Amino acid sequence: MELQSLDIHSMPGHLIRRLNQISVARFMEQVASAELSLTPVQYAALCAIRDNPGIDQASAAGLIAYDRATLGKVIDRLDARGLVLRKVSKSDRRARELFLSEDGEKLLTIAHPQVEAAQPEILSGLSPEEQEQLVHLIKKVIRAGNELSRAPHRDLSKAAE
């Protein structure tokens, strides 16, 4: 039986992986240009904590669609760098509430313009209209497949209902 040749360069999974590589590279270059040490997941975690002071680690993981174990290691590193604070929850002594430290706030303030500047570069081969359309379509695909992910996105407002 002869194996059929697959053109991986036309397969959505391969193309999405390549786009992710490009996205991470642009993020890292832009952040490094400001002499910052920050990964995309660290940035996402810091933003989730900033926007939801006192959030627990599991909820933060759901907000940024990361598995709890991986995010736990990310939070450990951010804590070791003095960027986040962990406080014992008053309602559940086993849980830890997460807050940004002053240094975490400062880092996000410096990083935000760098991250914003990287975004158009990620889709630089497209016109502004095409970029908007692609982002819309990516969101649509992600919504349709969210529950298939090992780490689905969780909206805190829906979890509270």
Side-chain angles (χ1 to χ4, degrees):
M1 178 176 196
E2 189 175 321
L3 289 178
Q4 205 173 16
S5 177
L6 291 177
D7 180 11
I8 64 168
H9 302 291
S10 296
M11 299 175 110
H14 178 75
L15 295 171
I16 291 165
R17 182 187 64 79
R18 288 288 299 129
L19 186 55
N20 181 62
Q21 289 175 321
I22 293 164
S23 173
V24 170
R26 292 306 310 133
F27 178 98
M28 297 304 289
E29 287 171 22
Q30 198 65 43
V31 168
S33 74
E35 299 180 2
L36 300 175
S37 175
L38 191 64
T39 67
V41 68
Q42 289 172 339
Y43 179 77
L46 289 171
C47 288
I49 295 165
R50 177 202 58 212
D51 295 345
N52 302 278
I55 193 171
D56 65 90
Q57 193 169 295
S59 297
L63 269 181
I64 65 170
Y66 249 80
D67 66 272
R68 286 194 237 181
T70 301
L71 188 66
K73 293 173 187 166
V74 170
I75 299 295
D76 288 344
R77 286 190 289 279
L78 294 172
D79 184 31
R81 290 176 58 190
L83 301 173
V84 298
L85 305 170
R86 288 176 165 153
K87 296 183 180 176
V88 175
S89 170
K90 292 175 184 160
S91 61
D92 181 356
R93 307 279 308 154
R94 297 167 298 169
R96 300 290 177 266
E97 296 174 343
L98 302 172
F99 300 87
L100 282 191
S101 68
E102 211 173 293
D103 286 346
E105 289 278 358
K106 287 178 191 172
L107 177 64
L108 274 183
T109 300
I110 296 166
H112 184 73
Q114 302 305 319
V115 173
E116 285 288 312
Q119 300 313 300
E121 296 174 3
I122 295 167
L123 303 178
S124 63
L126 303 175
S127 71
E129 296 79 21
E130 289 170 326
Q131 289 181 18
E132 190 176 317
Q133 182 181 18
L134 179 60
V135 169
H136 171 76
L137 292 172
I138 290 170
K139 287 179 178 180
K140 187 174 181 178
V141 169
I142 288 170
R143 278 191 304 273
N146 187 52
E147 295 307 317
L148 300 174
S149 170
R150 289 177 43 204
H153 172 259
R154 299 291 181 227
D155 186 345
L156 288 182
S157 63
K158 291 182 181 169
E161 293 174 352

